[in-house]
Amino acid sequence: MQPENWQFIDKDGTFRLQNPHLTNYLYYPLVNEAGMMSVVTPTLHGALTTGHNTYFSEPLSIESLHNSRSARNFWVHIVGHGPWSLTGNSAPQIEKRFNEDAEQTELTAGLLWHTLQRENSHLGLKAEITNIVPPTNDQVELMRVTLTNTGAQPLELTPTAAIPIFGRSADNLRDHRHVTSLLHRITCTQHGVLVRPTLSFDERGHLPNTITYAVLGCDDRENPPLGFTPVLEDFLGEGGSLDWPRAIVENHPPAARPRDSVDGYEALGGLQFPKVILLPGESRSWVLVMAVFDAYEQARNEKKQQKIRVHPRSSASDTPYIEKYGSVTQFEYWLSQTKKFWAKKLDTLKVETGDPRFDGWLRWVAIQPTLRRLYGNSFMPYHDYGRGGRGWRDLWQDILALLLMEPDDLDKILLGNFAGVRIDGSNATIIGNAPGEFKADRNNIPRVWMDHGAWPFLTTKLYIDHTGDIGFLLREKTYFKDQFTHWTKSIDESWTPESGTQLRTKAGAVYHGTVLEHLLVQHLTAFFNVGDHNNLRLEDADWNDGLDMAHEKGESVAFTALYASNLRELSELVLKLDEEYVSIAVEILPLLDSLNPPSPPFGDAPRGEGWDGGGVDYANPAAKRAHLTAYFERVNESVSGERAEVSLTDLASDLRAKADHLYAHLQENEWVQDKAGRGWFNGYYDNDGQRLEGEHSLGVRMTLTGQVFALMGGIASIEQAHAIIQAADHYLYNPKIGGYLLNTDFGEVLLNLGRAFGFAYGHKENGAMFSHMAVMYANALYQRGFAAEGFRALDAIYQHSADFEKSRMYPGIPEYFSDRGRGMYPYLTGSASWYLLTLVTQVFGVRGELGDLVLAPMLCRAQFDAQMRATIHTLFAGRRLNVCYKNPGELDVGEYKVENVLLNGQKLTFTSEDGSVKIARAAIARLPEGSEHLLEVVLTNP
């Protein structure tokens, strides 16, 4: 049997897939805002956890999904037949999985719920299992099991849930696995098995534990289990295994009753329910609750005592969870609430095009930024690294999607993120769970990604355009401070953990600078931090984490282009401020080296040590580096707290001069060509100071990254843009694996550039179709007016992702496709945010410009439906909009302009430019909140 492609069965993104268990590596997320993070597979493998140190079930990497026997399981022992696993996890079922008469399975999944059906025609039994993580404040996963007799004879059976409980840190998987099981205190209650270790052994030390892990259950008549098997080895029996346990095979009676306890063993949520006689056509159900909770917190909630001392057993209670979740009626309620919760969150962004399958697929792309906010970059089988949390780049890129979908309090989130910027222009790399929380790196393993300073401006610019909140630039925030200075190349010996993680003045006061000042620090320090070829130094990597072995002489030409375009846009943005002058720390003034010496309005303001207003020779890399080093020394430990007033006109002029220098430098020095005359931009220099791209003895070398920001920022001329497209199509485009590859095959392990080139070619950062950069390439193409080419890049990713035979993944966008075409590292990828951003602001052309609404569609003819309409539901100015483009002339992109705009049926006043229109924000903001408002946009010939 080969699984068919999944199909959407409604407009909400619900999909169905036959026999998903015949495809390896599939998994599905279940999560809530309270911190319960689950993963479930077609055989109900997958971990449940609330964090790195609190794994309910055994942590699983990707290969463990098919190697491990540990899974959520539900057994029945049938009189006259023997054991049957409703999840397919018995040895006989696994053995017969590929037989012609094998059991049939069907997955039906929605946002975010997961239902599996399994039918055994020989037995006359059909099982249906639904798993959810409800949108509550509890860290629970719920599981409903329904068994139906599809045969002609009554069946007598004994039902048993069997869910192993790991109950400790992921570190203990191979670090003291047995020793940490000795900490377990296992208690049976009326409805289940509770495990609370006495201590936790992990990187935090030996600490008292208050976390309880529970498996609770009842049947559809609200009967509790008859008894329990709480110890894993008792369930297995000598010679047994989780897929053929002797307790099930030999139909043992339960080993324990309520209030029984046992210490020091691996635990199992083994719950045996009352026997059932299932008549033909009859169904019976059971509900299971898998919970993680803090005994201290539960005691507080139940107001048991003011001074709480938690005993390993006495204070644990299953009552709140059974009352809230422990019935079929309650399960149905929470299933409906789960569906409503996620639908409401995602209804703020959806589309209706000529391809309903694309519309459904996009629902799953739209949920991915939220999943990354909740999971971070950990806790999924492919993402088996890290200890939770997101990276610096993720903080800013995920906001791109949140701005389109969840704009509430976004200014506070955005402002809080700036607290992670150091005064030397680098940033914190250990990010806490709370918004704006950053931690010192006490492991002394510093690393600088040179691209990190560029992303905050992109996100801030989008926020300002979307909201019109130009004053955000003048809001103040602290700076991050720890022991690292000089972009982590030096140590501040005066800093101690007791000093805290906020930059202080020499007088000891916490220093606050404007958002604009933070952005200046990031871009100005990067500008002066150049290599011998006058491009920005690669440092320890850029966006491509795999370019991590060119610390001394490596340069990122690709991100020099992004910083250049940022400097140009920032120079234009500051002139939109109402003020004439802006206050800046005097220590920063030398980095604005083209300013004239101080004069009014500086007055008697401090001029900054060593600053004479003299310029730096931008063509001299050594002079630029020396200038930066002098700045680092000035801010090594603290700042003076003194500020100077800088004319915004002068500031804009300085930034523009720096941008112009970089534009000219890149144009003059980094354009390369092959022997056939195809041209593109070089993206990197290696640790030997050698240019990476162009003709090489091992073949032509080209990177996609090197082209994206040169296109996006307008560095590439229109002629060069055409040339880049031709070269990328020739060297990098591969429709068999989803479109544009990250690079050509360099043919050797580049130890002078990065570990990525130790990977097999066509995998991850070495030449895979890496979704993030491919989507940004599409975005750049749209921004430069190459809509057809941009659509090709976006569509290739969608078409491959949605072809299950090739991608072997559920709906959504993966981090990359392997060289065999399989979707890898799904769900937690920044490409989802960029795909949404590109679709909304470029393809549908719905975007802000200093708060006003711009409609500048670049929809291809194929993207309109049969009525030649294309619709996007989105948010703007706090109002829900239904933007419906009408194309009665069946025109293609480039052939139409916006002719008329009707708002709720009334013709709207707008200004036109280059086929697009601008609508005053006030026209949208005065609309009633709550309801959706229709914007009909008619497209005609220019």
Side-chain angles (χ1 to χ4, degrees):
M1 293 182 293
Q2 288 298 319
E4 302 172 2
N5 208 343
W6 44 259
Q7 301 295 331
F8 290 114
I9 61 175
D10 60 26
K11 293 184 178 181
D12 294 324
T14 306
F15 67 94
R16 185 166 288 156
L17 177 63
Q18 303 298 320
N19 296 311
H21 67 296
L22 297 182
T23 295
N24 286 345
Y25 306 110
L26 290 176
Y27 57 86
Y28 190 89
L30 300 171
V31 67
N32 66 13
E33 300 276 356
M36 188 61 164
M37 297 171 287
S38 295
V39 166
V40 61
T41 77
T43 52
L44 295 192
H45 286 76
L48 299 78
T49 184
T50 62
H52 181 79
N53 295 309
T54 49
Y55 267 83
F56 175 100
S57 53
E58 185 175 293
L60 296 178
S61 296
I62 190 65
E63 297 298 337
S64 304
L65 295 182
H66 44 259
N67 291 337
S68 174
R69 300 177 182 182
S70 182
R72 308 163 183 82
N73 210 341
F74 198 95
W75 296 85
V76 289
H77 189 281
I78 307 166
V79 173
H81 172 77
W84 188 61
S85 167
L86 279 65
T87 66
N89 288 312
S90 75
Q93 289 167 287
I94 296 170
E95 178 188 1
K96 299 174 182 177
R97 183 174 288 173
F98 306 118
N99 292 1
E100 290 185 5
D101 60 346
E103 296 173 352
Q104 300 295 300
T105 68
E106 180 181 84
L107 166 69
T108 306
L111 303 164
L112 283 172
W113 54 274
H114 182 275
T115 296
L116 283 166
Q117 288 188 353
R118 174 177 294 272
E119 186 164 7
N120 186 308
S121 57
H122 173 70
L123 292 176
L125 279 175
K126 182 172 74 173
E128 180 180 284
I129 302 177
T130 299
N131 292 71
I132 60 172
V133 170
T136 69
N137 293 325
D138 296 320
Q139 295 174 330
V140 297
E141 180 186 317
L142 308 182
M143 177 171 157
R144 181 187 62 192
V145 179
T146 300
L147 190 62
T148 302
N149 185 345
T150 60
Q153 301 297 323
L155 295 173
E156 183 178 350
L157 48 88
T158 302
T160 303
I163 301 176
I165 302 174
F166 184 71
R168 49 207 192 265
S169 171
D171 293 339
N172 301 134
L173 185 62
R174 62 163 302 279
D175 185 1
H176 294 91
R177 169 77 187 250
H178 172 257
V179 169
T180 50
S181 73
L182 304 181
L183 304 171
H184 283 180
R185 300 297 184 265
I186 308 170
T187 304
C188 299
T189 65
Q190 183 180 6
H191 288 90
V193 176
L194 277 61
V195 180
R196 185 178 314 127
T198 54
L199 301 170
S200 64
F201 290 175
D202 51 51
E203 81 286 350
R204 301 168 299 173
H206 298 171
L207 300 174
N209 172 66
T210 62
I211 302 299
T212 295
Y213 308 86
V215 176
L216 313 172
C218 64
D219 65 18
D220 52 7
R221 298 173 186 176
E222 301 189 19
N223 295 313
L226 281 179
F228 312 98
T229 305
V231 175
L232 180 61
E233 67 178 61
D234 294 341
F235 180 72
L236 301 178
E238 295 297 337
S241 62
L242 278 170
D243 57 9
W244 204 239
R246 295 188 66 171
I248 298 297
V249 174
E250 298 170 2
N251 201 22
H252 292 170
R257 303 292 178 184
R259 293 194 292 271
D260 285 351
S261 63
V262 64
D263 299 342
Y265 288 91
E266 292 282 357
L268 177 80
L271 282 57
Q272 189 176 113
F273 293 95
K275 291 183 179 180
V276 170
I277 296 178
L278 202 60
L279 301 177
E282 185 180 12
S283 298
R284 292 294 305 274
S285 296
W286 298 264
V287 172
L288 299 172
V289 180
M290 290 156 275
V292 181
F293 59 90
D294 191 318
Y296 280 105
E297 192 63 33
Q298 187 186 82
R300 290 191 190 96
N301 292 340
E302 296 178 3
K303 299 181 180 179
K304 289 184 175 181
Q305 51 193 9
Q306 294 298 316
K307 295 183 178 179
I308 302 167
R309 184 183 179 196
V310 176
H311 186 274
R313 305 190 205 287
S314 60
S315 62
S317 171
D318 61 22
T319 303
Y321 297 97
I322 289 297
E323 289 179 348
K324 192 170 183 178
Y325 306 111
S327 70
V328 171
T329 301
Q330 290 285 50
F331 184 91
E332 287 290 345
Y333 171 77
W334 289 116
L335 176 59
S336 68
Q337 292 301 111
T338 300
K339 292 179 179 180
K340 290 176 182 178
F341 176 86
W342 290 107
K344 181 179 179 181
K345 191 176 287 288
L346 294 182
D347 281 349
T348 56
L349 178 56
K350 57 183 180 180
V351 300
E352 297 161 24
T353 68
D355 184 355
R357 187 170 174 82
F358 173 81
D359 303 345
W361 176 80
L362 193 72
R363 300 280 279 178
W364 291 95
V365 177
I367 202 173
Q368 290 183 221
T370 301
L371 292 176
R372 190 160 76 160
R373 176 172 62 83
L374 297 174
Y375 283 89
N377 286 317
S378 304
F379 309 125
M380 286 194 181
Y382 275 117
H383 296 82
D384 56 354
Y385 49 83
R387 297 172 180 268
R390 291 174 289 169
W392 176 259
R393 195 182 302 117
D394 307 332
L395 291 181
W396 303 93
Q397 298 199 87
D398 290 349
I399 290 177
L400 300 176
L402 295 177
L403 184 59
L404 304 174
M405 300 174 63
E406 300 181 66
D408 293 343
D409 297 324
L410 200 57
D411 60 327
K412 296 178 183 177
I413 297 173
L414 193 58
L415 184 63
N417 287 349
F418 278 100
V421 178
R422 293 188 182 99
I423 194 66
D424 70 354
S426 63
N427 56 267
T429 54
I430 300 181
I431 300 165
N433 294 323
E437 180 186 6
F438 301 93
K439 301 178 180 179
D441 182 355
R442 300 185 183 183
N443 297 319
N444 283 310
I445 309 177
R447 190 176 178 190
V448 169
W449 287 262
M450 62 79 63
D451 66 305
H452 277 185
W455 303 109
F457 175 73
L458 290 180
T459 304
T460 301
K461 176 68 162 52
L462 180 69
Y463 166 78
I464 291 172
D465 276 335
H466 204 73
T467 64
D469 184 13
I470 186 69
F472 181 78
L473 289 175
L474 300 181
R475 292 177 65 176
E476 294 193 343
K477 197 62 185 175
T478 56
Y479 286 87
F480 182 73
K481 174 63 181 171
D482 60 2
Q483 70 269 43
F484 298 116
T485 68
H486 296 64
W487 275 36
T488 76
K489 300 300 186 294
S490 184
I491 297 292
D492 173 11
E493 300 291 350
S494 69
W495 184 89
T496 65
E498 291 71 30
S499 305
T501 56
Q502 293 180 324
L503 177 70
R504 294 181 179 272
T505 67
K506 288 181 170 58
V510 174
Y511 177 74
H512 294 75
T514 62
V515 168
L516 175 57
E517 185 183 276
H518 284 70
L519 293 170
L520 290 173
V521 165
Q522 290 179 303
H523 285 78
L524 296 174
T525 54
F527 174 81
F528 287 102
N529 187 32
V530 295
D532 291 342
H533 299 276
N534 218 359
N535 301 292
L536 275 57
R537 294 184 65 243
L538 181 57
E539 294 290 341
D540 300 312
D542 61 9
W543 167 88
N544 189 334
D545 288 349
L547 305 184
D548 57 353
M549 299 173 69
H551 315 284
E552 290 81 22
K553 294 186 178 181
E555 299 175 39
S556 175
V557 184
F559 280 89
T560 299
L562 178 55
Y563 278 100
S565 61
N566 279 1
L567 285 166
R568 178 167 288 183
E569 290 196 34
L570 186 56
S571 74
E572 297 167 355
L573 188 62
V574 296
L575 295 177
K576 305 296 183 182
L577 288 164
D578 292 334
E579 287 75 8
E580 292 185 46
Y581 302 96
V582 65
S583 177
I584 294 176
V586 295
E587 288 85 355
I588 298 172
L589 294 180
L591 299 181
L592 299 167
D593 61 299
S594 68
L595 295 181
N596 292 321
S599 59
F602 287 97
D604 295 328
R607 304 184 179 193
E609 180 183 350
W611 183 56
D612 59 5
V616 177
D617 180 5
Y618 293 165
N620 186 335
K624 291 166 79 173
R625 291 193 294 264
H627 198 66
L628 179 63
T629 299
Y631 170 73
F632 285 161
E633 292 299 323
R634 280 191 294 273
V635 297
N636 182 55
E637 297 181 2
S638 60
V639 292
S640 66
E642 299 169 345
R643 302 185 186 187
E645 296 292 309
V646 175
S647 160
L648 287 174
T649 302
D650 290 344
L651 175 61
S653 177
D654 181 272
L655 297 176
R656 181 73 184 203
K658 288 177 168 63
D660 289 348
H661 159 72
L662 291 176
Y663 272 62
H665 163 74
L666 294 170
Q667 276 280 359
E668 294 168 9
N669 298 293
E670 299 303 339
W671 184 254
V672 299
Q673 289 184 312
D674 65 9
K675 294 177 181 177
R678 301 182 189 92
W680 63 94
F681 279 96
N682 171 51
Y684 295 94
Y685 285 85
D686 63 27
N687 210 37
D688 295 322
Q690 298 300 306
R691 174 178 286 165
L692 177 66
E693 300 186 45
E695 291 282 357
H696 189 273
S697 61
L698 295 177
V700 171
R701 292 180 172 179
M702 180 180 182
T703 69
L704 189 63
T705 313
Q707 317 320 310
V708 167
F709 302 110
L711 283 169
M712 191 180 291
I715 294 166
S717 67
I718 195 68
E719 293 78 16
Q720 287 175 319
H722 280 288
I724 288 170
I725 292 169
Q726 292 174 2
D729 286 349
H730 181 77
Y731 288 116
L732 301 177
Y733 188 72
N734 186 342
K736 295 181 180 180
I737 51 175
Y740 289 94
L741 308 182
L742 199 54
N743 55 268
T744 55
D745 187 354
F746 295 163
E748 60 181 331
V749 178
L750 299 178
L751 297 178
N752 59 357
L753 189 54
R755 73 175 190 271
F757 304 103
F759 301 155
Y761 180 70
H763 294 267
K764 234 174 184 306
E765 290 98 340
N766 185 17
M769 198 306 296
F770 211 92
S771 299
H772 196 166
M773 194 53 66
V775 172
M776 286 196 286
Y777 178 60
N779 183 282
L781 290 171
Y782 275 106
Q783 288 198 45
R784 296 300 300 275
F786 295 95
E789 293 81 358
F791 173 69
R792 183 192 191 200
L794 292 182
D795 190 58
I797 296 172
Y798 153 63
Q799 295 290 353
H800 193 91
S801 298
D803 188 340
F804 185 75
E805 185 178 352
K806 296 177 180 177
S807 69
R808 297 298 173 128
M809 60 178 289
Y810 294 145
I813 187 169
E815 180 182 273
Y816 71 97
F817 297 111
S818 74
D819 65 342
R820 296 179 176 180
R822 185 185 294 271
M824 308 292 287
Y825 293 75
Y827 301 115
L828 309 182
T829 164
S831 58
S833 292
W834 273 89
Y835 202 105
L836 296 172
L837 178 71
T838 303
L839 187 76
V840 175
T841 64
Q842 299 299 322
V843 180
F844 279 87
V846 180
R847 57 181 180 265
E849 186 175 305
L850 291 177
D852 293 330
L853 176 62
V854 173
L855 300 175
M858 285 189 278
L859 290 152
C860 296
R861 184 190 294 114
Q863 292 174 285
F864 291 89
D865 63 18
Q867 289 73 45
M868 294 309 293
R869 297 184 178 187
T871 299
I872 184 168
H873 303 261
T874 188
L875 292 171
F876 191 83
R879 305 300 185 269
R880 294 169 53 212
L881 299 181
N882 174 346
V883 182
C884 178
Y885 290 106
K886 298 181 178 181
N887 183 11
E890 301 185 12
L891 304 171
D892 207 346
V893 61
E895 298 175 351
Y896 56 70
K897 70 170 184 176
V898 175
E899 177 70 19
N900 289 308
V901 180
L902 281 74
L903 176 58
N904 294 330
Q906 301 297 313
K907 194 168 182 178
L908 195 62
T909 301
F910 56 82
T911 58
S912 299
E913 183 179 351
D914 296 330
S916 65
V917 302
K918 183 187 293 186
I919 300 168
R921 185 179 188 84
I924 306 299
R926 63 170 170 254
L927 296 171
E929 296 185 56
S931 58
E932 188 176 65
H933 302 280
L934 177 62
L935 266 176
E936 298 172 274
V937 185
V938 181
L939 306 176
T940 62
N941 280 304

